[in-house]
Amino acid sequence: MSVRAPSSAPASSGGSGSPAHRDRLVQAMIALVADRGYAAVTVADVVATARVSKRTFYQHFADREDCFLAAYVAAAEGPLTRIAEAVAPAVEAGDGAPAPDLAAEVDTATRAYLDALAEQPALTRTLLTEISGLGQRGWRVRREVLNRFADQLSVLVGLGAARWAAGGSGTVPELEGLQGIPRPTAVALVGGINELVLDAVEDGRGDRLGELAPTVTGLVLAVLDRAARPDV
């Protein structure tokens, strides 16, 4: 997941309860987790890195776990943004653009997602593994993040299918009946991809997640093929 370290600029002149301070604390947690793992991070570490007081920390977060969950959600923004940016040229091309190749677009989005995760393999591993150790709160936040990815997948597939049906070409003519993807299917697909990533990360291949691209792309296209033929 994409990471940016806390700014080295002076702290915001806003009040200690300002959004700027919260952002600094979240980014500090992300940077520290990427460096040493969540278990080794203390509230004192976070406030020192963010250059704010403990009083400011507790104005925004109930405890260390609360801050980590916020960091988990914030770190998910990187891959979500990268996927959107990767497919934006095709989505925005409009009339007169070359006929879209849905398989190529799936591959582009897949590689953008995996590349974003591979940029910070230590952080990716920590976030994917330690979130499950936070009990019900952790599982709830994890589900919310996975649902966001599923929603994005549903939207992008719907847009791609519409453009493809209007004049598509490429290597998957069997998808000509595709209109979109049911949300439960999108949730299951995202969950499966997440498990593939977790397996690779735990196996020490967190910096080589791009190697999963053919498998993930093939999985997505297989699911889309099934969605295009609901009566089969």
Side-chain angles (χ1 to χ4, degrees):
M1 298 183 181
S2 182
V3 181
R4 60 185 175 90
S7 168
S8 59
S12 168
S13 58
S16 59
S18 72
H21 282 98
R22 185 183 189 281
D23 182 64
R24 294 175 69 85
L25 288 162
V26 168
Q27 296 304 323
M29 176 63 84
I30 290 175
L32 288 165
V33 164
D35 181 58
R36 64 185 73 165
Y38 173 63
V41 176
T42 66
V43 171
D45 295 328
V46 175
V47 299
T49 302
R51 291 176 293 109
V52 300
S53 67
K54 280 191 175 183
R55 176 176 177 273
T56 297
F57 179 92
Y58 288 110
Q59 284 183 323
H60 293 283
F61 303 106
D63 49 31
R64 183 181 69 124
E65 178 181 300
D66 195 28
C67 185
F68 176 73
L69 292 173
Y72 179 86
V73 173
E77 291 296 331
L80 283 165
T81 299
R82 292 280 284 276
I83 293 170
E85 291 174 347
V87 301
V91 172
E92 297 171 358
D95 296 338
D101 182 334
L102 189 56
E105 290 181 16
V106 169
D107 184 66
T108 296
T110 295
R111 292 182 184 278
Y113 171 68
L114 294 173
D115 287 347
L117 297 182
E119 287 177 1
Q120 292 285 341
L123 175 65
T124 296
R125 183 183 187 285
T126 297
L127 291 174
L128 290 179
T129 57
E130 299 204 46
I131 190 70
S132 61
L134 299 185
Q136 197 64 31
R137 291 180 70 198
W139 282 111
R140 184 173 62 251
V141 171
R142 177 180 181 273
R143 183 175 296 110
E144 290 172 357
V145 168
L146 288 181
N147 283 342
R148 289 188 61 196
F149 278 98
D151 289 341
Q152 184 185 56
L153 175 63
S154 296
V155 169
L156 293 178
V157 167
L159 291 172
R163 288 182 291 106
W164 194 88
S169 64
T171 60
V172 283
E174 65 272 19
L175 297 185
E176 64 182 59
L178 181 66
Q179 297 180 346
I181 182 171
R183 191 173 185 282
T185 301
V187 172
L189 184 54
V190 169
I193 294 171
N194 188 72
E195 289 304 311
L196 284 171
V197 171
L198 180 57
D199 180 68
V201 167
E202 291 187 324
D203 195 37
R205 294 177 285 124
D207 59 343
R208 306 198 311 276
L209 293 178
E211 296 174 357
L212 295 176
T215 299
V216 173
T217 297
L219 175 61
V220 174
L221 292 175
V223 171
L224 296 185
D225 174 62
R226 183 65 182 81
R229 300 181 293 125
D231 298 327
V232 175

